[in-house]
Amino acid sequence: RCIRISDSGNKEDYNFNTVYENLYIDINTPVKIGGGSRDLLNIETITSGIKLIYDINPVFGSPGIPYTEVTYDESSHSLKLLFEEFKINKTEEKHISFEDIDNTYGQNILLIRKDSNCTISIDLGRDVKYYNINEYVIHDDKVVIAEITFK
């Protein structure tokens, strides 16, 4: 958002600062983000959520996370992320646990790959009501990261 730092009434004095804030979304709100397809390289657990690490290639325009549909499954209290991968075309099921850290936001992650379709299911802690997705690129490592945090 932009914040006006001058309000003198003179149009030439209108200066603004950009302020970046995390936007936490209610877990019941479905979201569609990103664009194109990208290969998932790794999933890491962090104190307040998870990091999804994608291959930066192919680069079409500016690199970003793949087109992803985010939904909430109330019956299993899990957040689901669905996206398409670019080069990876295989069938795989992988369980990832939050055991190595003290994480009150999630218990387990289930990664399911079927052909080029990828589904990630995050079993949420019982008190989780909101999530945020921050996206950034680390050019030296040639990766795009989606950091998903909960509260």
Side-chain angles (χ1 to χ4, degrees):
R1 70 183 172 110
C2 292
I3 298 175
R4 181 176 287 155
I5 57 174
S6 172
D7 195 11
S8 67
N10 182 352
K11 288 184 180 180
E12 294 171 5
D13 289 339
Y14 289 143
N15 295 314
F16 294 88
N17 280 339
T18 303
V19 177
Y20 294 96
E21 298 173 335
N22 287 331
L23 171 66
Y24 279 87
I25 302 166
D26 184 286
I27 58 173
N28 291 296
T29 305
V31 174
K32 297 176 182 177
I33 59 170
S37 60
R38 199 161 300 291
D39 294 331
L40 180 68
L41 300 176
N42 197 13
I43 300 174
E44 295 178 1
T45 59
I46 58 176
T47 304
S48 57
I50 68 169
K51 278 187 187 181
L52 304 176
I53 302 168
Y54 301 94
D55 187 350
I56 201 168
N57 294 307
V59 177
F60 303 113
S62 71
I65 63 173
Y67 173 78
T68 305
E69 294 182 15
V70 182
T71 58
Y72 173 65
D73 182 342
E74 190 172 357
S75 64
S76 63
H77 194 52
S78 60
L79 198 67
K80 310 262 188 221
L81 294 89
L82 294 88
F83 59 93
E84 189 174 313
E85 296 187 279
F86 183 70
K87 293 183 285 191
I88 296 176
N89 190 346
K90 65 180 179 178
T91 300
E92 172 187 30
E93 188 171 307
K94 181 178 180 181
H95 294 268
I96 301 162
S97 176
F98 284 85
E99 293 173 2
D100 56 333
I101 59 173
D102 181 20
N103 189 314
T104 59
Y105 300 105
Q107 282 83 43
N108 295 296
I109 303 167
L110 175 61
L111 166 67
I112 299 174
R113 285 182 162 125
K114 184 162 174 54
D115 302 322
S116 63
N117 297 312
C118 189
T119 302
I120 296 172
S121 179
I122 308 163
D123 294 338
L124 300 174
R126 60 179 144 79
D127 296 331
V128 172
K129 303 285 187 245
Y130 304 96
Y131 69 96
N132 169 268
I133 302 175
N134 279 322
E135 171 186 342
Y136 55 95
V137 176
I138 302 176
H139 289 281
D140 292 344
D141 294 339
K142 298 184 176 151
V143 295
V144 177
I145 296 179
E147 188 172 284
I148 304 170
T149 54
F150 304 101
K151 68 180 201 175

